Amino acid sequence: MKKFRKVLDGLSSSSPGGVASPSCGSAAGTPTAHAPTPQDIHVQETLVSENFHICKTVRHGFPYQPTCLAFDPVQKILAIGSRTGGIRILGRPGVDCYSQHESGAAVLQLQFLINEGALVTACADDTLHLWNLRQRRPAILHSLKFNRERITFCHLPFQSKWLYVGTERGNTHIVNIESFVLSGYVIMWNKAIELATKAHPGPVVHLSDSPKDEGKLLIGFESGTVVQWDLRAKKVDFRIYYDEAIHSVSWHHEGKQFMCSHSDGSLTMWNLRNTARPIQITYPHGKILKDGRKESCKPILKVEYKTSRNSSEPYVIFSGGLSYDKSGGRRPTLTIMHGKAITVLEMDHPIVEFLVLCDTPYSNEVQDPYAVVVLLEKDFIVVDLTQSNFPIFENPYPMDIHESPVTCTAYFAECPPDIIPILYSIGAKQKKTGYSHKEWPVSGGTWTLGSQTYPEIIVTGHADGTVKFWDASAITLQMLYKLKTSKVFEKPKVGEGRAGELVEEDPYAVQMVSWCPHSRLFCVVGISAHVILYRFSKHDANTQIVSLEVRLQFDSEDVISPSEAENNPCFSDPSSHSPQPPGSPGSGTQDSLPCLKVKNRPVRMPPGYQAELVVQLQWVDGEPPQQITSLDINSAYGLLAFGNCNGLTVVDFLQKTILMCMGTLDLYGAADPYQRLTRSPRKNRQSTSGLTELSDNQVSMDMERSKSPTSESRENSFSRSRSSSVSSIDRDTKESVTTLQFGESYGRKGDALPTACLWVGTSLGVVLLLPISIPTEEEERMEEPITMGPSGTVLMLKGSVLRFAFLDCGGALIQSPYEVWRDPNGPEDPDRPRRRKLVNFSPSSSQEACSDGHLAVVCSEKQAKVILMPTQAVLFTHNITESSFLLRADVVSVCNSVCLACFCANGHIMTLSLPSLRPLMDINYLPLTDLRIARTFVFTNGGQALYLSSPTEIQRLTYSQEMTDNLQDMLGELFTPIETPEAQNKGFLKGFFGGNAQTFDREELFGEAAAGKASRSLAQHIPGPMGLENMKTAAGGVVGDLARARIALDQRGERLGELEERTALMMNSAETFSTHAHQVMLKQKDKKWYQL
């Protein structure tokens, strides 16, 4: 038995600053003759405000509402922009960075400065931003805000510092990337089109320089006009007019022809020799009808035209273009045309954008495409082009968190080290097959395992009943294991099933989970008022699932008096918005039946978590059961407890029996602290309340407990008023069981020894204690009944009770007892019978310390209290909030100590010391919050927390200063110094120092000396914290040294070039001198000495 008692003059070495002081036991450890009193408790607290700091660490999942895509073919990193102004930059596994534009404007387009460690973003507020990627946390270097024109398209040629920007008015502006200011060189739309043309050509939808000549810029207008502009001569080379609107343009690498995609589902090929008409018009998915007309097709939104060394036939890849007749029942498609072969890939979601990945960054070389990155509205896939069947790559990022909407989360730090490998080995058998065997192509950046890593697991519950276990160690996220809880139940036949009357959709949705990593017991609460208990096994089994049904509904309601209602606000009925089935009470046909039907035959269960027991609440009087609001399980006791607004149920899962089923009012016995009235059962329930958003200045609010946590109305629903002026007697004030906790404690004030207890917290702020008598011998435990019953009210708090935790008299956290895991289906050893091995963390595990007692931490929505057991004396009280209420509270370990971490509905994150409840941190983290965040926010040990920041993303954060200081070492490097590949047919020096074969001096054309300054009113430059020169040395450590070495090498090359030029000048000078000397010699050679 591990002893958790601490004598304060002998504090453990892990608690620095401990001093000797009177303790609940004597200094020598001899037992005192009386129970400890508040005066005996003196805990040396080590946490101070400097230990805490809020910082976002990493964001996992699929970028919510994506808008655009970009890829750096040299660095091999990928960027995704979103509608909310976010940018996700991805590289090799572990390299995953999230940045956010402060404006929150949608990101319209992304452009990498290829192999330069920088990124340009164009946003919907008509602002361009230059991001520095040479640091672990990208930062904005410059911004340029357009005032009079709206940005529609951007193009940055490879190895150029001039960015072309097309606008809605049809004009093209040029921005210097280094200074981020506009050039005076502008291509006006009226100069690009013929003067005889009366109609405006529309916004610029495409810009690209000719692969053959960088001095020629191809401009595509929405109306169907394409213009090639000679940048040097400042005139048009040719104009193309087409009847259909243009969506995209793609060059052949030789620069002699290009392809356009149009709004009528056609592709046109144009040759520069004859631009009067296209050399080819194709409708890839449009057939010729009997009357000779073409089928009408959907627009082809984008086309890519790529050549390959291995084949004379080019790749033509495009999205859209299906005929309207076919597309009605078909999913979005990506079409790959290679020669005569046409492959249509159907997607599960609409295509946002796609990119073809090629080996070379040069547009004038054979492209050799090897993969297609496809960004969908709710997914992200990469197609392997090198294999004929075009398989997809296995995605190494956790992009499928939202495969079914997330309904609850749990976060476990410092897990047993063996749990992750065993879950991974079982989960590996669940993986799909048929993926490409090649390496994931987005492989840029560097990432190493940090020094401060420990096993972490995140558990997510989903709307379809699935539960996913994720390895969250070292701020990464990797899927470990997936559990489908719906397999426990029979599939309801059409027109049957009672779950549909309780929940319109998602009858298996997971509401909450309880997991003990040590015993590997796992418990799931579902939306249909069911609880499923799972045990973990490495072996498959064929077993019968035990089903228990509970009637937890009472005819009368407990209504507190108006005077009490004003001072003790409580939860509304969590299912108050569910429609009332017609008919009078007792007339329903579903009475005494559960919502779902458990499989009543032996079920084959694969290795992993195997269902052992299902407990369901029954329909009563024609009404569905109320949702379960609290849950706790204890493997050492063999007990499972859950409660709702009607009462409490305790189940003995070893004997598979219902141990107790009591209404909330019955838990009080004669010691009910409230004055209650009784009224007849309600006939109607309230409808769903309207949407109410949370803000900082709201005085009172509350969260509506939703029926099904997946609908849109449930995403942002806060409706319960907390105003003290509410005093109507008709107010629904049913008392719910809001939190439960098993543990070793003192059931009654006079108890000398701790016993197993169940702590119960209610929505009226009442704390109740139920002592449990459990047989100690294993044989008796399986046969003898367990006895338990209420012992009265311990204390009352303001608001609903959220959390219990227990500390010993030295301030150390006491864990709940647990049973060591053993495989229930493992082979039997006849010589060594299998026995339960229990680990008990009793506050006094030996007779000599029997009177030590312990501290109980109780936190409600409004306040926290620390009480001393067994005297039940309140040692400390702290009113956490008056104007708002807590959504989450957890007692966690930080910096070798413990604290109470709280998340408030007004967005504040607070920490309080234990046991004194001294405020350590109070930071306004989220100015607004909604039900999704409220339902998924959770704290864990080590100073970490997480919540669902969007329907598809998990945001992790730390509230520990120590972890904030070490965060830089844990993040991946986005930029790695890599030599730019040489262009074909170039000399070594020329290729090393960059430049294309047919370059031209853009500085000479676009610089201020030649083009002048742009109008100040056109765009406003907003400088960032550092310039481009500093950017090149911003990276730290070895990467920074390598970057500096590369820059020094470039500078050395420049100096070598200058030296070569000087040498040439000296040679020319020497030749001139030699010529002059020779001429003088010839002139003077025949003269006599006296003629000189």
Side-chain angles (χ1 to χ4, degrees):
M1 294 287 183
K2 190 172 181 181
K3 188 181 293 185
F4 267 72
R5 165 180 156 273
K6 283 189 180 178
V7 181
L8 284 180
D9 57 354
L11 282 172
S12 68
S13 59
S14 63
S15 300
V19 296
S21 61
S23 171
C24 48
S26 64
T30 56
T32 56
H34 59 85
T37 64
Q39 290 74 25
D40 296 328
I41 303 300
H42 300 286
V43 176
Q44 180 72 40
E45 295 179 359
T46 58
L47 291 178
V48 292
S49 298
E50 287 71 26
N51 294 128
F52 297 93
H53 181 266
I54 293 286
C55 177
K56 292 181 180 178
T57 53
V58 68
R59 183 172 291 206
H60 303 297
F62 179 78
Y64 184 54
Q65 296 179 327
T67 53
C68 52
L69 191 63
F71 183 71
D72 186 327
V74 179
Q75 288 289 320
K76 294 193 182 300
I77 57 174
L78 184 108
I80 301 173
S82 75
R83 200 178 301 171
T84 54
I87 308 169
R88 281 285 288 283
I89 303 173
L90 303 168
R92 67 176 68 247
V95 179
D96 186 344
C97 177
Y98 173 80
S99 296
Q100 174 72 39
H101 291 91
E102 288 185 7
S103 65
V107 182
L108 300 179
Q109 199 175 349
L110 297 163
Q111 286 276 316
F112 275 106
L113 277 66
I114 294 175
N115 205 28
E116 291 296 331
L119 175 72
V120 174
T121 59
C123 296
D125 60 353
D126 304 306
T127 306
L128 297 172
H129 303 276
L130 178 64
W131 291 80
N132 173 23
L133 306 184
R134 296 193 179 217
Q135 55 192 58
R136 294 175 192 254
R137 294 262 190 183
I140 291 178
L141 296 167
H142 298 283
S143 297
L144 188 66
K145 168 75 173 172
F146 280 72
N147 296 322
R148 296 186 301 186
E149 298 193 53
R150 308 217 66 184
I151 299 171
T152 55
F153 195 87
C154 298
H155 170 63
L156 181 66
F158 178 45
Q159 294 182 326
S160 168
K161 68 175 184 178
W162 297 95
L163 174 74
Y164 301 115
V165 181
T167 69
E168 196 174 39
R169 293 186 180 180
N171 303 324
T172 301
H173 300 275
I174 301 168
V175 177
N176 185 309
I177 290 296
E178 290 181 351
S179 60
F180 232 60
V181 295
L182 274 178
S183 166
Y185 193 115
V186 183
I187 306 171
M188 304 299 289
W189 69 271
N190 53 358
K191 293 183 179 179
I193 65 171
E194 288 180 320
L195 295 176
T197 306
K198 296 180 180 179
H200 189 279
V204 175
V205 295
H206 177 81
L207 291 167
S208 62
D209 48 338
S210 167
K212 190 167 62 172
D213 185 356
E214 291 181 346
K216 305 295 178 72
L217 183 68
L218 197 70
I219 307 173
F221 298 94
E222 190 180 59
S223 63
T225 301
V226 179
V227 170
Q228 180 166 290
W229 181 267
D230 189 328
L231 292 166
R232 301 184 191 89
K234 300 182 181 179
K235 66 181 184 66
V236 173
D237 283 346
F238 62 82
R239 297 180 180 90
I240 289 172
Y241 297 100
Y242 194 70
D243 295 336
E244 295 293 336
I246 286 178
H247 287 284
S248 70
V249 181
S250 184
W251 281 97
H252 187 280
H253 80 274
E254 292 177 350
K256 298 177 181 178
Q257 58 189 25
F258 59 86
M259 182 178 287
C260 300
S261 70
H262 300 277
S263 57
D264 64 345
S266 65
L267 298 172
T268 56
M269 181 79 78
W270 301 83
N271 195 301
L272 301 193
R273 291 181 180 177
N274 180 14
T275 56
R277 62 180 60 85
I279 60 172
Q280 186 181 9
I281 302 175
T282 56
Y283 291 82
H285 295 302
K287 294 181 180 178
I288 301 176
L289 303 175
K290 292 181 179 179
D291 56 2
R293 292 185 301 107
K294 287 275 187 183
E295 277 185 310
S296 59
C297 296
K298 288 190 170 184
I300 294 179
L301 300 178
K302 184 175 181 179
V303 65
E304 292 266 22
Y305 182 31
K306 302 295 181 184
T307 51
S308 172
R309 284 191 181 88
N310 299 327
S311 172
S312 58
E313 298 289 347
Y315 284 90
V316 178
I317 303 169
F318 60 90
S319 60
L322 287 180
S323 67
Y324 279 100
D325 295 336
K326 293 179 182 177
S327 63
R330 293 183 68 173
R331 295 181 288 182
T333 59
L334 182 79
T335 304
I336 302 173
M337 298 171 60
H338 187 219
K340 294 182 179 180
I342 299 179
T343 305
V344 179
L345 305 178
E346 289 191 342
M347 304 293 166
D348 293 331
H349 308 283
I351 297 173
V352 175
E353 190 177 352
F354 73 89
L355 286 176
V356 178
L357 307 189
C358 302
D359 282 326
T360 176
Y362 297 97
S363 60
N364 61 351
E365 294 182 357
V366 178
Q367 298 297 287
D368 267 341
Y370 59 88
V372 184
V373 177
V374 189
L375 179 64
L376 309 176
E377 278 190 2
K378 294 185 178 180
D379 204 357
F380 171 77
I381 64 170
V382 181
V383 181
D384 186 354
L385 287 179
T386 62
Q387 299 182 47
S388 58
N389 59 337
F390 302 127
I392 65 171
F393 289 88
E394 185 176 5
N395 196 328
Y397 316 123
M399 293 286 188
D400 58 345
I401 292 173
H402 64 289
E403 187 177 18
S404 174
V406 178
T407 53
C408 73
T409 57
Y411 194 1
F412 302 89
E414 301 169 356
C415 299
D418 60 336
I419 193 70
I420 289 179
I422 189 64
L423 283 174
Y424 181 80
S425 64
I426 298 294
K429 301 172 185 176
Q430 301 175 331
K431 288 190 175 181
K432 298 177 182 177
T433 56
Y435 292 111
S436 170
H437 298 298
K438 296 205 169 182
E439 276 191 31
W440 178 252
V442 186
S443 56
T446 55
W447 179 78
T448 55
L449 198 64
S451 58
Q452 293 186 336
T453 58
Y454 44 82
E456 298 175 71
I457 289 180
I458 293 172
V459 180
T460 56
H462 299 264
D464 63 354
T466 58
V467 177
K468 293 180 181 179
F469 292 77
W470 306 84
D471 178 7
S473 309
I475 69 170
T476 61
L477 196 70
Q478 193 71 34
M479 169 78 116
L480 288 174
Y481 175 73
K482 183 176 178 180
L483 175 66
K484 294 182 179 180
T485 63
S486 59
K487 290 189 173 182
V488 171
F489 304 101
E490 300 280 5
K491 290 183 180 179
K493 296 178 182 178
V494 179
E496 291 186 8
R498 297 167 293 280
E501 299 186 41
L502 175 64
V503 185
E504 292 181 5
E505 55 185 15
D506 307 322
Y508 309 111
V510 178
Q511 260 191 307
M512 63 183 79
V513 297
S514 179
W515 185 44
C516 176
H518 299 281
S519 64
R520 302 186 188 174
L521 272 185
F522 186 62
C523 201
V524 176
V525 170
I527 199 73
S528 299
H530 61 270
V531 182
I532 310 173
L533 175 66
Y534 290 89
R535 285 188 184 272
F536 187 84
S537 175
K538 296 180 182 179
H539 309 276
D540 57 2
N542 197 1
T543 57
Q544 179 91 26
I545 302 170
V546 178
S547 176
L548 299 176
E549 295 177 6
V550 181
R551 178 190 174 101
L552 190 59
Q553 193 128 349
F554 299 91
D555 293 337
S556 61
E557 293 192 3
D558 308 323
V559 181
I560 61 178
S561 66
S563 60
E564 293 287 348
E566 293 183 10
N567 298 322
N568 296 282
C570 66
F571 275 106
S572 61
D573 183 357
S575 59
S576 60
H577 69 277
S578 180
Q580 167 72 18
S584 59
S587 64
T589 57
Q590 288 116 349
D591 281 357
S592 302
L593 292 174
C595 297
L596 300 170
K597 185 180 180 182
V598 179
K599 291 179 180 177
N600 57 3
R601 62 184 183 278
V603 179
R604 186 195 170 277
M605 300 180 188
Y609 273 103
Q610 300 169 350
E612 179 179 283
L613 176 67
V614 178
V615 185
Q616 295 185 91
L617 298 184
Q618 298 174 341
W619 284 63
V620 177
D621 295 336
E623 290 193 1
Q626 305 298 316
Q627 281 187 24
I628 295 168
T629 55
S630 55
L631 169 75
D632 194 34
I633 187 170
N634 189 281
S635 56
Y637 301 159
L639 298 179
L640 162 69
F642 62 90
N644 64 6
C645 65
N646 285 319
L648 170 69
T649 300
V650 181
V651 178
D652 182 342
F653 62 79
L654 295 180
Q655 297 185 19
K656 309 294 190 296
T657 57
I658 305 294
L659 190 61
M660 188 179 77
C661 180
M662 295 182 72
T664 314
L665 180 59
D666 298 329
L667 293 174
Y668 291 104
D672 189 356
Y674 288 105
Q675 209 177 358
R676 299 178 190 259
L677 307 173
T678 303
R679 66 177 182 182
S680 60
R682 63 181 184 273
K683 292 293 190 288
N684 295 303
R685 299 184 180 183
Q686 301 170 0
S687 60
T688 306
S689 307
L691 182 67
T692 307
E693 291 188 353
L694 281 176
S695 63
D696 286 335
N697 57 7
Q698 282 180 291
V699 176
S700 59
M701 65 196 71
D702 195 9
M703 181 177 65
E704 179 189 355
R705 263 45 178 183
S706 62
K707 172 57 74 175
S708 177
T710 55
S711 69
E712 284 301 316
S713 63
R714 298 181 296 250
E715 284 293 327
N716 302 284
S717 179
F718 280 82
S719 65
R720 179 167 55 110
S721 172
R722 282 259 173 195
S723 171
S724 61
S725 64
V726 177
S727 60
S728 170
I729 197 168
D730 293 327
R731 185 178 173 213
D732 195 353
T733 54
K734 217 168 187 181
E735 186 174 11
S736 304
V737 176
T738 55
T739 186
L740 296 165
Q741 180 71 53
F742 286 106
E744 296 286 304
S745 188
Y746 299 86
R748 294 171 181 83
K749 285 187 178 181
D751 286 356
L753 291 173
T755 58
C757 291
L758 175 62
W759 288 69
V760 180
T762 76
S763 57
L764 295 187
V766 179
V767 176
L768 301 162
L769 197 53
L770 282 72
I772 310 168
S773 176
I774 303 175
T776 54
E777 294 297 326
E778 184 167 350
E779 292 77 10
E780 294 178 359
R781 174 64 187 87
M782 301 305 294
E783 297 174 2
E784 295 294 324
I786 290 176
T787 58
M788 66 182 298
S791 64
T793 305
V794 175
L795 79 159
M796 295 174 60
L797 297 89
K798 298 177 183 176
S800 303
V801 181
L802 296 179
R803 185 69 56 204
F804 293 119
F806 309 116
L807 309 177
D808 64 18
C809 291
L813 187 65
I814 302 174
Q815 297 182 35
S816 295
Y818 64 85
E819 176 189 359
V820 177
W821 176 76
R822 54 176 182 167
D823 198 325
N825 302 321
E828 294 283 352
D829 187 351
D831 298 330
R832 298 180 61 187
R834 299 170 63 187
R835 300 183 63 85
R836 299 176 71 217
K837 183 180 178 183
L838 306 183
V839 178
N840 191 4
F841 295 95
S842 170
S844 52
S845 53
S846 65
Q847 282 296 119
E848 65 180 30
C850 62
S851 58
D852 276 1
H854 71 89
L855 306 177
V857 182
V858 186
C859 185
S860 75
E861 292 178 322
K862 294 286 188 178
Q863 65 179 183
K865 291 185 179 182
V866 176
I867 62 174
L868 178 62
M869 300 298 289
T871 64
Q872 299 183 8
V874 177
L875 300 182
F876 303 99
T877 301
H878 179 71
N879 293 321
I880 299 172
T881 177
E882 293 294 338
S883 60
S884 187
F885 61 97
L886 296 186
L887 297 168
R888 181 80 188 195
D890 290 291
V891 174
V892 291
S893 61
V894 182
C895 300
N896 298 319
S897 189
V898 291
C899 69
L900 176 63
C902 308
F903 176 55
C904 196
N906 60 14
H908 284 244
I909 293 179
M910 296 165 279
T911 56
L912 304 172
S913 69
L914 288 176
S916 68
L917 299 177
R918 174 172 43 91
L920 296 171
M921 179 185 71
D922 186 350
I923 293 178
N924 186 8
Y925 175 72
L926 289 170
L928 293 175
T929 191
D930 56 34
L931 186 56
R932 180 185 61 249
I933 296 174
R935 192 176 61 242
T936 56
F937 198 104
V938 59
F939 296 97
T940 192
N941 296 331
Q944 296 199 75
L946 66 80
Y947 60 93
L948 211 65
S949 59
S950 74
T952 62
E953 296 168 289
I954 289 175
Q955 177 68 58
R956 290 167 70 179
L957 63 141
T958 180
Y959 49 94
S960 162
Q961 182 66 57
E962 182 183 6
M963 186 168 181
T964 303
D965 295 339
N966 296 324
L967 186 59
Q968 283 294 105
D969 297 332
M970 302 170 73
L971 297 173
E973 292 272 7
L974 297 173
F975 178 76
T976 308
I978 301 172
E979 286 301 327
T980 302
E982 289 185 25
Q984 293 177 355
N985 303 322
K986 287 188 178 183
F988 172 77
L989 284 175
K990 208 166 190 179
F992 187 80
F993 296 116
N996 285 340
Q998 296 183 4
T999 59
F1000 76 108
D1001 192 349
R1002 293 185 176 91
E1003 181 69 36
E1004 188 178 324
L1005 284 174
F1006 307 145
E1008 188 177 321
K1013 291 184 178 181
S1015 171
R1016 289 186 177 180
S1017 62
L1018 184 60
Q1020 175 189 359
H1021 175 244
I1022 306 167
M1026 55 183 174
L1028 190 65
E1029 291 303 316
N1030 291 333
M1031 180 194 79
K1032 292 184 178 180
T1033 55
V1038 177
V1039 173
D1041 294 337
L1042 289 173
R1044 285 189 285 273
R1046 183 184 173 203
I1047 293 167
L1049 192 61
D1050 289 345
Q1051 292 171 348
R1052 180 172 176 269
E1054 291 172 4
R1055 288 196 292 271
L1056 284 173
E1058 292 171 1
L1059 181 63
E1060 189 178 354
E1061 289 176 3
R1062 286 199 211 100
T1063 304
L1065 288 172
M1066 291 173 66
M1067 288 178 66
N1068 289 335
S1069 178
E1071 286 179 8
T1072 304
F1073 179 78
S1074 174
T1075 302
H1076 284 302
H1078 185 66
Q1079 290 173 350
V1080 170
M1081 183 269 293
L1082 291 174
K1083 185 178 179 181
Q1084 303 295 335
K1085 71 176 182 176
D1086 295 330
K1087 290 186 179 182
K1088 301 295 183 180
W1089 64 270
Y1090 53 83
Q1091 293 177 322
L1092 297 176

